[in-house]
Amino acid sequence: LLSAYDWNQDVSLRVTGEIHIGGVMLKLVEKLDVKKDWSDHALWWEKKKTWLLKTHWTLDKYGIQADARLLFTPQHKLLRLQLPNMKHMKVKVNFSDRVFKAVSDICKTFNIRHPEELSLLRKPRDPKKKKKKLEETEEDDLELEGSIYSSPGLYSKTMTPTYDSRDGSPLSPTSAWFGDSPLSEGNPSILAVSQPISSPDILVKLYKPQSLLDKAKINQGWLDSSRSLMEQDVKENEVLLLRFKYHSFFDLNPKYDAIRVNQLYEQAKWAILLEEIECTEEEMMMFAALQYHINKLSIMSSDNHMNNSEKEVDEVDAALSDLEITLEGGKTSNTLGDITSIPELADYVKVFKPKKLTLKGYKQYWCTFKDITISCYKSKEEAHGTPAHQMNLRGCEVTPDVNISGQKFNIKLLIPVADGMNEIWLRCDTEKQYAHWMAACRLASKGKTMADSSYNLEVQNILSFLKMQHMNPDPQFIEPITTDINPECLVSPRYLKKYKNKQISARILEAHQNVAQMSLIEAKMRFIQAWQSLPEFGITHFLAKFQGGKREELIGITYNRLIRMDASTGDAIKTWRFSNMKQWNVNWEIKMVTVEFADEPSLSFVCAEVDCKVVHEFIGGYIFLSTRAKDQNESLDEEMFYKLTSGWV
């Protein structure tokens, strides 16, 4: 048996097949005769890509022959992690743990709750760049080299606030969690502070996906959560990206989540600046204004960190409880008032059916919205008769098409039919009407009615999202344009080509009026909320070939559905809800995923350019996340996660 010790020297051992792994390590340490703590070392079998961690197993049981070469190496090694804020951290990670567990430990170290939402991603290769020489690293302009060799930080299991809810500064002496870590003098709270982008060159240098196909290629890089780093050829000191993988953020609470909120805000900010997600011009100016506001407050809060009073914290608590971002995963309260009456909407709405020659332009109908069905009548008087059109919205795609300055409030509905989707557009006259109908459509698409407790909150969220995009014509409130605004660091490059910097600055300051009163943490929460309101939010794209289809298409996976998409336009062709799903299987030989539904034909597709394990894990991961409940303690059912995601464990 040949054993290499940390690549430095080869040691041959004469052993029998009956010896167990622990015995091999003991013999090896005796032979090496070096005084040191070997407790973290273990044997790695390179040829079979497997750790020999069951120390009581014999060589025979593992199937190890006389010519085997084993590596005696530490399980914990350094990784360079790029966090969502694009900064780099050196962290010691266990290379023998499954990635799910390793990410959990990394998140403990960084004090980020709900690690199941994050994972590790290999860096996407920019196809335009030639392979660089290894010594030229691309990240130099974004370095924040900290290193953490500490024991994992402690989440507060008892849920006592660990952060000031106004600016996210730690309330307890953080050295208690971090020992003598060199990271910012033992203080992880640096990760809760957003740092403004220092120069527009950074934006230019970073990789931008140009098309949906580019976006799909990035998703090839997700690591397999049920295998270890070493099994996936990750090397010591390699750069991996730590990112929020599943866009379903559970129980986001500024009292305990200052770092998590900030890193989420940063991931959203970069997604918008690098055009990984589409948004309208008005939305871009609103995001820029929020970013400008957050930058200003971040600089101020690091200056006057300590002068906060209890009263302010209470006020912020009150404001934040109004702002609680309730996510689909949360269990909503069941106080529905009078159970027998379900609220209804009835109003004149303009309806348009594109691609149908019969309806030219919008046609006004008296529309009623009951349960999850919209009925259209020619007039209010005929509302007792048979409707001209009727639409059941369960499982439909709902997309906003809004332009506030142009007073355009459209709702695009894609309604599933046997052979694909029916497209219907609704046009509302006012913001108020739009918010009520839009909220009702969103709930109906999930099979919920307006009696659901989240309906009023959804209406308020839509109205506040629209309000933030209003332009203020009153010039006396607008700050004079100062040099500190740097529009080229606040909007995506597309707008810099379209407008002069001065014009952009003026529009950002105008939009800033809507958000100028917000506290720092509220502005970050608003940014995240606005990101979640974008039509494309939370869709992860993969290249796929559908059974019966001739060319490559896209499959989009979100927290509650699968979408078949046109690869060039991104239009939805057909949608399937997870709630309607019976089971899903993978044929690992031919890389085919098959999904079976309760009342629809099954769906089969072959994954192109990506391991189908990645796609399988996204589906299982979202289903795992949907089982989380508020009353659970904070421990995760790790085995359940592997059951749903690994397909063979």
Side-chain angles (χ1 to χ4, degrees):
L1 187 68
L2 190 63
S3 181
Y5 147 59
D6 275 353
W7 316 109
N8 295 343
Q9 67 187 81
D10 284 352
V11 180
S12 294
L13 295 177
R14 279 190 78 87
V15 289
T16 66
E18 271 91 66
I19 189 170
H20 51 73
I21 297 297
V24 174
M25 293 201 287
L26 207 64
K27 269 187 178 308
L28 187 58
V29 168
E30 281 167 7
K31 202 160 182 180
L32 288 168
D33 198 25
V34 178
K35 288 270 176 289
K36 67 178 265 188
D37 178 2
W38 295 100
S39 59
D40 189 43
H41 276 60
L43 289 170
W44 165 253
W45 189 4
E46 179 60 50
K47 188 173 165 214
K48 286 276 197 291
K49 285 212 184 315
T50 182
W51 284 96
L52 307 177
L53 297 178
K54 296 190 169 90
T55 49
H56 57 287
W57 276 30
T58 61
L59 293 181
D60 283 347
K61 192 162 182 184
Y62 264 120
I64 294 169
Q65 304 292 313
D67 57 349
R69 182 187 173 86
L70 306 178
L71 178 69
F72 190 50
T73 183
Q75 295 169 69
H76 284 80
K77 301 174 189 293
L78 277 179
L79 260 190
R80 288 186 61 207
L81 286 185
Q82 190 200 63
L83 272 57
N85 64 357
M86 298 289 187
K87 307 288 186 228
H88 289 76
M89 286 287 182
K90 278 190 178 150
V91 190
K92 267 221 157 130
V93 181
N94 189 334
F95 273 54
S96 69
D97 272 342
R98 292 170 171 190
V99 165
F100 186 81
K101 172 85 173 64
V103 170
S104 217
D105 287 346
I106 290 166
C107 288
K108 277 207 179 93
T109 305
F110 290 154
N111 216 28
I112 294 173
R113 291 193 313 141
H114 295 293
E116 68 276 10
E117 294 166 3
L118 294 92
S119 193
L120 298 171
L121 180 66
R122 282 200 160 91
K123 239 179 148 180
R125 283 227 62 82
D126 188 341
K128 293 194 297 294
K129 285 188 179 154
K130 300 271 186 295
K131 277 206 173 157
K132 287 193 160 187
K133 295 190 192 76
L134 278 174
E135 58 271 17
E136 274 187 77
T137 55
E138 293 167 43
E139 304 97 22
D140 291 341
D141 48 4
L142 290 171
E143 284 303 307
L144 166 90
E145 281 291 3
S147 38
I148 294 183
Y149 303 98
S150 65
S151 59
L154 315 168
Y155 306 144
S156 54
K157 275 277 179 264
T158 50
M159 294 301 281
T160 46
T162 38
Y163 296 108
D164 172 348
S165 57
R166 192 193 55 180
D167 63 3
S169 56
L171 289 177
S172 57
T174 45
S175 55
W177 325 319
F178 267 73
D180 301 322
S181 148
L183 169 69
S184 168
E185 290 74 59
N187 184 348
S189 67
I190 186 170
L191 302 178
V193 181
S194 171
Q195 285 151 341
I197 298 167
S198 51
S199 113
D201 301 349
I202 293 173
L203 269 179
V204 178
K205 275 186 193 162
L206 283 171
Y207 171 62
K208 290 176 213 46
Q210 297 302 313
S211 67
L212 283 166
L213 298 177
D214 290 345
K215 289 181 196 175
K217 286 202 172 89
I218 292 174
N219 291 314
Q220 296 168 17
W222 289 107
L223 293 183
D224 182 339
S225 298
S226 34
R227 293 191 301 147
S228 69
L229 290 168
M230 199 89 156
E231 288 169 71
Q232 299 180 68
D233 296 322
V234 174
K235 305 282 182 279
E236 183 157 18
N237 272 317
E238 192 172 317
V239 176
L240 289 177
L241 279 47
L242 178 71
R243 292 290 183 271
F244 290 88
K245 171 178 181 176
Y246 299 106
H247 289 68
S248 168
F249 315 125
F250 192 69
D251 185 26
L252 202 53
N253 188 330
K255 270 194 187 171
Y256 323 107
D257 283 332
I259 289 174
R260 182 173 166 224
V261 167
N262 186 54
Q263 295 299 329
L264 251 178
Y265 156 69
E266 288 280 348
Q267 185 160 325
K269 174 180 97 178
W270 286 104
I272 284 155
L273 289 176
L274 298 174
E275 293 171 9
E276 286 168 17
I277 185 165
E278 287 290 310
C279 63
T280 66
E281 199 167 300
E282 284 171 337
E283 288 162 351
M284 180 60 81
M285 296 308 156
M286 171 199 64
F287 283 121
L290 279 166
Q291 213 192 122
Y292 171 61
H293 188 62
I294 289 164
N295 291 348
K296 255 173 50 164
L297 292 186
S298 300
I299 294 160
M300 277 158 52
S301 82
S302 50
D303 294 346
N304 57 7
H305 206 54
M306 296 326 286
N307 54 3
N308 56 42
S309 68
E310 285 304 307
K311 181 176 155 295
E312 278 180 313
V313 172
D314 289 344
E315 280 174 9
V316 169
D317 273 358
L320 287 167
S321 61
D322 295 342
L323 219 154
E324 272 293 274
I325 297 181
T326 59
L327 298 159
E328 325 301 314
K331 297 277 178 285
T332 46
S333 68
N334 290 325
T335 48
L336 297 180
D338 179 5
I339 299 292
T340 53
S341 71
I342 290 179
E344 296 172 4
L345 291 174
D347 211 342
Y348 278 107
V349 179
K350 296 185 181 72
V351 181
F352 172 50
K353 270 182 147 175
K355 303 195 194 82
K356 293 268 187 293
L357 300 171
T358 48
L359 269 175
K360 289 206 167 35
Y362 283 91
K363 205 168 174 186
Q364 186 153 295
Y365 286 95
W366 177 257
C367 295
T368 61
F369 203 137
K370 293 182 185 176
D371 290 337
I372 56 174
T373 303
I374 297 178
S375 307
C376 307
Y377 303 91
K378 291 206 166 85
S379 68
K380 189 175 180 178
E381 293 68 43
E382 292 175 31
H384 300 297
T386 314
H389 301 286
Q390 209 162 26
M391 305 167 252
N392 181 317
L393 301 195
R394 187 190 293 274
C396 75
E397 287 286 309
V398 186
T399 315
D401 177 21
V402 174
N403 179 328
I404 290 177
S405 50
Q407 285 296 295
K408 179 174 91 170
F409 304 106
N410 291 347
I411 302 169
K412 289 186 187 176
L413 299 172
L414 285 169
I415 299 162
V417 288
D419 55 346
M421 305 287 256
N422 252 340
E423 191 171 355
I424 306 276
W425 293 21
L426 307 179
R427 168 163 272 182
C428 299
D429 293 326
T430 63
E431 286 186 27
K432 204 169 167 200
Q433 185 191 30
Y434 167 79
H436 282 95
W437 283 77
M438 184 65 172
C441 288
R442 281 188 180 153
L443 283 178
S445 74
K446 296 175 215 151
K448 294 178 182 173
T449 70
M450 286 171 268
D452 194 88
S453 59
S454 60
Y455 174 67
N456 288 331
L457 196 88
E458 184 70 43
V459 173
Q460 290 315 310
N461 281 348
I462 293 168
L463 284 169
S464 68
F465 182 54
L466 295 175
K467 192 177 158 207
M468 283 196 293
Q469 295 172 59
H470 276 275
M471 285 303 161
N472 288 303
D474 194 344
Q476 71 185 46
F477 292 119
I478 294 175
E479 308 158 48
I481 293 183
T482 49
T483 48
D484 72 337
I485 189 164
N486 289 348
E488 59 272 24
C489 298
L490 299 174
V491 298
S492 70
R494 184 165 62 188
Y495 293 102
L496 297 170
K497 295 190 189 94
K498 200 168 166 185
Y499 298 107
K500 294 192 175 71
N501 279 10
K502 228 177 177 164
Q503 288 172 300
I504 298 174
S505 298
R507 286 189 62 182
I508 292 172
L509 289 174
E510 248 180 274
H512 184 238
Q513 288 308 300
N514 298 317
V515 302
Q517 300 312 309
M518 289 180 189
S519 72
L520 176 55
I521 196 93
E522 190 188 347
K524 285 180 188 174
M525 294 284 274
R526 284 285 185 195
F527 195 102
I528 294 165
Q529 205 178 15
W531 174 48
Q532 288 174 298
S533 302
L534 296 175
E536 283 182 16
F537 168 77
I539 302 177
T540 307
H541 301 90
F542 296 98
L543 267 176
K545 251 191 176 148
F546 287 84
Q547 214 169 14
K550 292 193 173 40
R551 59 175 194 278
E552 281 187 350
E553 293 171 80
L554 287 174
I555 184 121
I557 301 178
T558 77
Y559 74 95
N560 62 358
R561 63 200 193 282
L562 296 171
I563 314 161
R564 181 176 184 169
M565 304 169 108
D566 183 301
S568 48
T569 62
D571 292 343
I573 298 167
K574 182 125 173 76
T575 298
W576 298 269
R577 295 250 154 201
F578 290 159
S579 54
N580 197 21
M581 192 160 89
K582 281 203 311 205
Q583 58 173 1
W584 73 107
N585 304 305
V586 180
N587 179 331
W588 301 104
E589 300 294 309
I590 56 171
K591 291 193 172 179
M592 181 177 277
V593 181
T594 301
V595 191
E596 289 179 31
F597 298 98
D599 51 11
E600 292 189 74
S602 65
L603 154 75
S604 294
F605 57 90
V606 177
C607 305
E609 293 193 34
V610 60
D611 191 335
C612 53
K613 169 70 175 75
V614 179
V615 178
H616 182 282
E617 193 177 298
F618 261 93
I619 298 173
Y622 272 126
I623 287 168
F624 174 75
L625 296 192
S626 71
T627 63
R628 297 179 295 182
K630 271 263 174 35
D631 47 11
Q632 272 174 343
N633 61 8
E634 284 186 40
S635 63
L636 275 178
D637 187 346
E638 225 176 291
E639 285 315 306
M640 182 65 169
F641 177 84
Y642 297 130
K643 253 195 192 112
L644 284 167
T645 57
S646 47
W648 58 72
V649 169

